[in-house]
Amino acid sequence: MTRRIILVTGGQRSGKSGYAQRLALELSDCPVYMATSRVWDEEYRKRIERHQRDRGPQWTNIEEEKALSKHHLQGRVIVIDCVTLKEEFDRFTAQEATFIFVTNEIGMGGVAENTIQRRFTDMQGWVNQYIAEKADEVVLMVSGIGVKVKG
C-alpha cells in the first residue's frame, strides 16, 4: 500500500462525514474512524457513543483529540474527523496508509465579529490549504453532493 491522502471539505451538515465513511467502506472492510473532538459534556459523550454504534462493528473507533501520530495504522484506511494540527498532519501521514481527512470550510461566510473567531477562521483556512496542497484528491461537499476539486 502506498500513502494516499483525500480531503473532504464543506460547510456544516453538508454530508462530509457520511461521504468519507462511505468512501472508507468502499476501500476497506475494516476501516478506522479517528475522532479528534474533545468530549465537552455528558450529552456530547452520548452523541459520540451513538455515532460509534451507527458506524457498526466493522469500524475501529479511536478517540484522539491531538496526538494522532502516536497511533500506528500502517496499511489501514483511516477517516480523520476532523482536521486539527498541521504538525500532527505531517507526522501522522508519514505512514503508508489511506487517509481521508474531513474538515470544515468555515471561511465561506462573512467576517466574524470577534478576534478569536477571526483568528480561528484564518488558522483553519491555512491548515485546509496546506492539506489540500498535499492531498491526492479533494472533494467539496455541497448539499450532500461530492464535487471533485482535485484528483
Side-chain angles (χ1 to χ4, degrees), residues 58-59 83 87:
Q58 69 270 39
W59 287 87
V83 167
E87 295 77 16

Side-chain angles (χ1 to χ4, degrees), residues 5-11 14-21 23 79-83 99-105 128 131 135 137-141 146-147:
I5 299 171
I6 302 165
L7 179 65
V8 180
T9 187
S14 63
K16 301 179 302 290
S17 296
Y19 179 92
Q21 290 173 45
L23 178 58
V79 172
I80 303 91
D81 196 351
C82 67
V83 167
F99 302 92
I100 305 171
F101 285 92
V102 176
T103 191
N104 288 305
E105 198 62 49
N128 287 351
I131 295 173
E137 298 174 42
V138 177
V139 175
L140 172 65
M141 295 302 297
V147 180

Side-chain angles (χ1 to χ4, degrees), residues 13-99:
R13 297 290 174 242
S14 63
K16 301 179 302 290
S17 296
Y19 179 92
Q21 290 173 45
R22 287 188 301 277
L23 178 58
L25 287 169
E26 289 174 15
L27 300 173
S28 174
D29 292 333
C30 54
V32 176
Y33 189 92
M34 183 172 285
T36 61
S37 180
R38 177 179 297 162
V39 179
W40 300 101
D41 55 29
E42 189 58 28
E43 181 275 332
Y44 202 71
R45 179 181 311 285
K46 288 179 181 174
R47 175 187 283 230
I48 290 168
E49 291 169 356
R50 187 184 77 241
H51 285 289
Q52 289 175 345
R53 282 191 309 274
D54 290 349
R55 277 192 291 278
Q58 69 270 39
W59 287 87
T60 300
N61 293 297
I62 299 173
E63 302 291 328
E64 182 60 58
E65 185 181 350
K66 295 181 181 175
L68 280 60
S69 62
K70 78 177 187 182
H71 299 277
H72 302 285
L73 300 165
Q74 192 81 11
R76 302 288 302 270
V77 173
I78 310 138
V79 172
I80 303 91
D81 196 351
C82 67
V83 167
T84 55
L85 307 172
K86 176 177 159 294
E87 295 77 16
E88 273 300 297
F89 170 84
D90 289 334
R91 286 191 291 265
F92 187 52
T93 59
Q95 302 177 67
E96 295 292 321
T98 298
F99 302 92

Side-chain angles (χ1 to χ4, degrees), residues 5 10 45 116 145-146 150-151:
I5 299 171
R45 179 181 311 285
I116 293 171
I145 299 169
K150 178 181 178 182

